[in-house]
Amino acid sequence: MAATMATSSTVVGLGTSSLSSPSHLSSSKKLNLSSGFLKSPVTAKNPLRLAQASGGKFTCFERDWLRTDLNVIGFGLIGWLAPSSFPVIGGKSLTGLFFESIGTELAHFPTPPALTSQFWLWLVCWHLGLFITLTFGQIGFKGRNENYF
């Protein structure tokens, strides 16, 4: 059989320096591999020391995690009141039906609404729409402010 001769070749990978066969490397030369995909090494921090540095309090979340903004609440409420006020349910609007049912139930105030009252349907539908609108408003407003889109 014919003998094959091994040749040294340079292998280039993700790192910034090339890899070559060990015979070509000098012992004084240190091989340094780095990549844009790898983060720089970070030393682990003791959470107890971090708590002592901040006055003894250790929190997992930033203080203003909800990042409330009155613009979202105001525009969200207007954004829900406008479409829920169109008369599309038998010539009446969802907001009108909900407020009308509140008036009907307040007419016999000390007595709570019956379980079969239309008040519960309008209450759930109106508030569900409001909370969905506020949620999407918060996502959209904060996403725009933090350059997500």
Side-chain angles (χ1 to χ4, degrees), residues 85-118:
S85 296
F86 289 123
V88 293
I89 305 170
K92 295 183 178 181
S93 67
L94 178 60
T95 302
L97 289 169
F98 177 50
F99 290 163
E100 182 182 312
S101 68
I102 290 173
T104 304
E105 295 303 327
L106 283 177
H108 55 82
F109 169 60
T111 309
L115 290 176
T116 57
S117 173
Q118 287 287 314

Side-chain angles (χ1 to χ4, degrees), residues 7-115:
T7 60
S8 66
S9 65
T10 302
V11 178
V12 178
L14 290 177
T16 56
S17 65
S18 62
L19 297 175
S20 61
S21 67
S23 63
H24 290 239
L25 291 175
S26 66
S27 61
S28 65
K29 190 175 182 184
K30 185 179 177 186
L31 184 62
N32 184 15
L33 296 176
S34 64
S35 171
F37 295 107
L38 300 175
K39 293 182 180 179
S40 62
V42 177
T43 59
K45 295 180 182 177
N46 185 349
L48 297 176
R49 283 199 187 138
L50 291 175
Q52 292 168 354
S54 65
K57 295 179 182 176
F58 179 73
T59 57
C60 294
F61 299 102
E62 57 186 77
R63 274 223 182 277
D64 190 25
W65 63 270
L66 186 57
R67 292 175 279 168
T68 56
D69 192 351
L70 295 179
N71 288 327
V72 175
I73 295 171
F75 288 127
L77 184 61
I78 292 170
W80 174 240
L81 276 175
S84 68
S85 296
F86 289 123
V88 293
I89 305 170
K92 295 183 178 181
S93 67
L94 178 60
T95 302
L97 289 169
F98 177 50
F99 290 163
E100 182 182 312
S101 68
I102 290 173
T104 304
E105 295 303 327
L106 283 177
H108 55 82
F109 169 60
T111 309
L115 290 176

